[in-house]
Amino acid sequence: MQAIAQKQQDAFDVIIVGAGVAGLYMLHRAKQAGLSARLFDAADGIGGTWYWNRYPGARVDIESFEYSYSFSPELEQEWHWTERYASQPELLRYFEHVAQRFELYPHIQLGTRIDSAVYDEARGQWAIATQTGQTYRARFCVMATGCLSAPKVPDIPGYGSFRGDCYFTSRWPHEPVELAGKRIGVIGTGSSAIQFTPVAAQVAAHLTVFQRTPNYSIPLRNRPMDLDYEKRMKAGYEQLRRMQWRSPGGFVLVGGEPRLPLTTSALAVSAEERLSEFEARWQAGGLCLYTCYPDLMTSKEANETLAEFVRAKIREKVVNPAVAEKLTPRNHPILTKRLCADSGYFETFNRDNVTLVDLQETPIETITERGIRVGGREIELDVIVFATGFDAVTGALLNIDIRGRRGQSLRAAWQDGPKTYLGLMSADFPNLFNVAGPGSTASLSSAIPCDEHQIDLVMRLITRSRNGGGAGIVEPTHAAQDAWTERIQAIAAKTLIHESNSWYVGANVPGKPRVVLLDLEGFSAYIDVCDGIIARDYEGFVFESAPAGVPAEDSVALA
Ligand code: NA7
């Protein structure tokens, strides 16, 4: 009896790893389909990115009406966003509300880090082991581990020797952090640092920003929610969602109006018309410059028109011309690193208590006990904040020891770069789904619509794998996987993406294979490809029956 009870507790139809945007929706869909599911997360709370990245200033840079779940019209109507771009605490409240409203908590096990996932070919099951040694079994395993969740360990000499307080934006403490009156150093000028810097400068005795690469940033223009705006958005949700799913980035609002990207080349219009379009989007705020002219990512000349527009804005904002010049990106095309959206970032450098250290001129020699030494002088600090980024897209996944058929490891299979079909599955790793995996559009598009679409596909694959009876097994063919992997690189080769050392190409982590990690054709094109594959009876996937002799209690029962 005890053995059976143990078995029932430990065997699930689906195991999900990660309680962020994707994991929560996957759990909802699995529950809806009558599958038994358990979701694990290492954190002590749900929310994924929004659980960990709680640094001052953290907020979403896609409008909340678009950066929110679309699967429930009731949820859309009942939730009230207090700002156009929700802050981290509000986002966390939203995900907690979702988990409560859809009764997800009973199926979520927090504080549990997954160490390994091993495919048991004889049973057609995954054995998923926690860091503390428990093993759980499931027919299907969904890795919803996030594309920006494994912090990069900084490759800086003297790392670890500082005697003051050290924080990572990606692992900000839950208890209050005292920054007021402190000498703060922040390393990095990516999205996280660009959000943190203006907020920290307001309270710091002195803030020193250590910049290795200047970044392009657009004003966010966040503001409190206007109730008429909210009413209009809620009334138009259906159309908004339709347009999001027909767009390359999964977001379409430009100054509060849904707009699909322009279709004319930036070079086909007059300089005046181009500037006026750029200016309108600059005034609208947020990331809508992404969805402007279609050739900004493919033509150096077109790209340069936008880059030069933003450079001129930086010169306007920063009073000291020498500082403005240091803050001006010139060594990479705009949009080839993640575009940032800020609330007063460049203006922060006009403050008396803020200093920019250009690491191109004076690289960090070492972190010392008392601060950071650059150019032969020690800058004394009370606090160092590392906003140094992530081992993106593959990092969190490969931190888990994943073994597929014949015991082969995913790390070994991907040593020269990840290989996937649709950025979702890999050959020899049956029934393992990597949501927002390498080769998907997720890391360049708005996460929530992309995750919802991929998870809907996961559910279709699970259902299709059950057709004909018996617990199903689904896996892509090697040929389909190779073709997809080549396709991703071929699409990228036609763009400017290789012209910067970004996490999009794995360049920010020493030793990581330099390959493009995302599908640059965009979200709506990805949806079309998936629809075609489904219409051709799941072309590129192979469905098998479960191995004979698998005990009945292990088999999947779809409602
Ligand atoms: P990012 O965008 O990867 O930014 C990391 C920043 O840290 C970037 O400016 C890096 O400079 C800098 N960095 C990294 N390592 C070092 C060292 N060793 N020395 C100096 N500077 C360093 O991470 P974020 O957290 O800001 O944003 C991640 C994503 O979150 C973002 O793309 C959005 O999708 C949301 P580099 O450019 O490599 O020279």
Side-chain angles (χ1 to χ4, degrees), residues 16 49 97 117 192 205 213 229 239 298 316 365 381 424 450 467 549:
I16 303 159
T49 285
H97 169 76
S192 304
T213 308
Y229 182 66
Q239 192 210 355
T298 52
E316 274 172 27
E365 287 161 19
L381 300 166
L424 183 66
C450 291
N467 285 353

Side-chain angles (χ1 to χ4, degrees), residues 4 80 92 107 126 137 182 211 218 234 237 240 252 277 291-292 341 357-358 365 372 390 402 443:
I4 290 171
H80 166 66
L92 209 49
H107 310 277
W126 283 91
R137 293 180 157 267
K182 299 277 172 73
Q211 169 191 275
I218 310 297
K234 285 187 171 175
Y237 246 136
L240 177 64
V252 290
E277 186 66 41
T291 59
C292 200
V357 173
D358 181 352
E365 287 161 19
I372 297 179
F390 299 86
I402 299 174
S443 40

Side-chain angles (χ1 to χ4, degrees), residues 152 155-156 188-192 212-213 337-338 387-389 503:
K152 196 181 83 140
D155 45 342
I156 301 176
T189 50
S191 295
S192 304
R212 189 163 70 179
T213 308
K337 281 187 174 224
R338 166 64 148 78
T388 40
W503 57 257

